[in-house]
Amino acid sequence: MSKKSGHPVSKKFAAYPRLNPLGVGKDISAADLIDQVMLAYNGGRLREAAQLLAKKMLPRDGFIGMSLTGALTPAGLGKSCLIPLMKGGYVDWIISTGANLYHDLHFGLDMQLHSGSPFLDDVELREEGVIRIYDVLFDYNVLLDTDAFVREVIQGPEFQKPMGTDEFHYLLGKYVSARGKKLGLKDSSVLATAYECGIPIFTSSPGDSSIGMNVAAMALRDSKLIPDVNRDVNQTAAIVYHAKSTGHTSSVFILGGGSPKNFMLQTEPQIQEVMGIEERGHDYFLQCTDARPDTGGLSGATPAEAVSWGKVDPDNLPDCVVCYADSTITLPIITAYALTKVKPRKPKRLYDRRDAMLEKIRAMYFKHGKIAKIEHRTDLEKKKSVKGRSGRSVTGTKRE
């Protein structure tokens, strides 16, 4: 903000900075544009979102879970934003639609997508073998070649078993990474980057994408690959419990909404309601969405509503931010801000610790959970055993 004027500030405005924007110049940085120009309405919420990520979610090695919905990777946001965030240690684990991961494969296999128009004749496109995702265009052979790659890879012996989607994507990412090196590609695939950085990626609806469709087709050829959704539910809860029980914050960065949003947020009810482990909810909630809350859908459900489910710590509700804007607008801006304001963090490589984290929460579940009705609910009036904003409800935890 600009320098203070000589006029005294009324007490009733003491908590609110003066709205006095910076004039936009030709060399203005993304950080200055956010901090000093985006001061109100959804521009203000975008500023709050970027500042929340940089000032509260990322510091002190906080755990960041990101959920992805909407056609982000075909729009190029995997290469432009997600990969830089992943490589810089700004994202620790991901829940994505299968479609985003499928279209990520096009980039990892060096296939061509094109910027087009949403106003083309789709019947004509069908006749010419052109696929359209709003204003993104690509040849039908991109689908066929990607499908063939997936089928060829998953017929390998390491895929012939039930597995969590994080393990499936890790193994798939290994082959994408290897193919990218042969093609001379660098930083082209989210799946390959996740493999290289040890970032677990889950899919909340494994059958709801072309990857899942190919897995299903291979089952007709007696493939033994089966997505273990039970492992996914427990594994994602294990990540959150590990974060909180080691004195770190657990934050959610939600792009869009849908099933990945709920799958990420339900980790806390899984810990509290189902497993009977005392917890208070995620520490920070950041969502970029165009979904309205008044239709009752999960995509538009507010962080305040999430508090009632135990998904978000009520004490941190003032820090939760919902920016009502398209992720193709907000993510590049937030990415630029984070990379400018926060030094890269050492990757946590949570995938490498997946078994240990699962065993940790399994032990706590057998200690506190039961088959009969769980008569336990976190006492929000109970004195918190840990100072600060992280892991406060886990008894005996010391903040690192």
Side-chain angles (χ1 to χ4, degrees):
M1 304 293 277
S2 61
K3 294 181 180 180
K4 296 180 180 179
S5 68
H7 299 288
V9 178
S10 169
K11 289 184 178 180
K12 61 186 176 182
F13 295 117
Y16 307 102
R18 180 181 176 186
L19 201 160
N20 189 18
L22 174 74
V24 174
K26 64 179 182 179
D27 296 321
I28 190 170
S29 68
D32 285 340
L33 186 69
I34 292 171
D35 286 334
Q36 302 189 58
V37 176
M38 297 181 174
L39 305 181
Y41 314 130
N42 276 314
R45 302 300 76 71
L46 180 54
R47 183 190 77 250
E48 292 171 353
Q51 292 176 348
L52 175 64
L53 178 63
K55 295 180 179 180
K56 296 186 177 180
M57 293 166 65
L58 286 168
R60 298 179 297 280
D61 206 28
F63 281 52
I64 309 293
M66 174 180 279
S67 70
L68 309 174
T69 56
L72 303 183
T73 55
L77 292 176
K79 289 186 66 174
S80 65
C81 300
L82 297 178
I83 291 174
L85 289 172
M86 295 164 72
K87 293 189 67 175
Y90 300 93
V91 176
D92 300 308
W93 62 289
I94 294 171
I95 299 176
S96 174
T97 59
N100 269 310
L101 303 179
Y102 176 75
H103 293 301
D104 170 71
L105 290 172
H106 309 331
F107 291 90
L109 302 175
D110 201 22
M111 299 176 181
Q112 296 183 11
L113 282 74
H114 303 271
S115 296
S117 167
F119 307 112
L120 302 176
D121 185 330
D122 289 292
V123 174
E124 183 177 328
L125 293 180
R126 175 65 184 272
E127 292 172 349
E128 295 179 352
V130 176
I131 303 296
R132 181 174 73 89
I133 304 176
Y134 194 61
D135 57 356
V136 175
L137 307 174
F138 53 91
D139 194 276
Y140 183 61
N141 282 303
V142 169
L143 300 181
L144 299 180
D145 291 338
T146 304
D147 292 343
F149 175 82
V150 172
R151 291 193 298 270
E152 290 168 5
V153 166
I154 65 175
Q155 70 179 344
E158 66 267 56
F159 288 92
Q160 302 310 306
K161 63 177 183 178
M163 62 178 69
T165 59
D166 59 335
E167 182 178 5
F168 171 70
H169 294 137
Y170 180 81
L171 294 174
L172 182 59
K174 178 177 72 172
Y175 284 92
V176 180
S177 177
R179 180 65 65 88
K181 290 177 182 178
K182 288 184 179 180
L183 295 172
L185 304 179
K186 183 180 179 182
D187 300 339
S188 62
S189 164
V190 170
L191 280 168
T193 301
Y195 163 74
E196 293 158 5
C197 297
I199 298 173
I201 299 182
F202 301 87
T203 297
S204 51
S205 301
D208 187 20
S209 75
S210 294
I211 293 178
M213 290 155 57
N214 281 287
V215 170
M218 291 298 285
L220 299 176
R221 295 180 178 271
D222 296 325
S223 170
K224 301 301 186 291
L225 174 57
I226 300 174
D228 187 346
V229 295
N230 292 335
R231 173 84 189 229
D232 284 357
V233 171
N234 292 324
Q235 190 70 55
T236 52
I239 292 173
V240 174
Y241 182 73
H242 176 73
K244 304 300 283 289
S245 64
T246 55
H248 296 85
T249 52
S250 174
S251 300
V252 295
F253 184 174
I254 301 165
L255 295 169
S259 178
K261 174 186 176 181
N262 184 70
F263 207 72
M264 179 157 285
L265 289 174
Q266 76 173 20
T267 50
E268 281 286 359
Q270 176 72 359
I271 294 170
Q272 303 170 46
E273 171 193 340
V274 177
M275 294 184 169
I277 303 170
E278 186 171 325
E279 239 296 291
R280 294 179 63 88
H282 290 286
D283 294 286
Y284 299 111
F285 176 114
L286 189 170
Q287 182 180 12
C288 300
T289 183
D290 57 4
R292 295 161 38 193
D294 59 313
T295 61
L298 187 280
S299 294
T302 63
E305 182 178 317
V307 166
S308 72
W309 288 83
K311 297 175 180 178
V312 174
D313 188 333
D315 288 352
N316 295 356
L317 188 56
D319 287 321
C320 297
V321 176
V322 179
C323 178
Y324 291 99
D326 185 340
S327 295
T328 62
I329 299 170
T330 60
L331 183 57
I333 295 173
I334 292 174
T335 300
Y337 189 88
L339 268 59
T340 300
K341 292 289 188 176
V342 183
K343 293 181 180 179
R345 309 189 309 171
K346 182 180 178 180
K348 293 184 177 65
R349 298 198 64 89
L350 295 179
Y351 182 84
D352 300 346
R353 293 181 270 169
R354 64 194 296 268
D355 291 335
M357 290 188 293
L358 185 63
E359 288 307 311
K360 182 178 182 179
I361 200 169
R362 186 199 305 273
M364 291 299 292
Y365 170 58
F366 285 139
K367 180 178 180 180
H368 298 284
K370 56 185 179 180
I371 297 175
K373 180 179 178 180
I374 294 176
E375 302 290 348
H376 163 82
R377 188 177 182 187
T378 299
D379 183 2
L380 297 179
E381 300 302 320
K382 181 180 178 181
K383 185 177 180 180
K384 297 167 185 174
S385 59
V386 178
K387 295 180 179 180
R389 305 190 73 87
S390 59
R392 294 172 296 180
S393 62
V394 183
T395 304
T397 297
K398 291 183 180 179
R399 185 183 177 90
E400 294 184 348

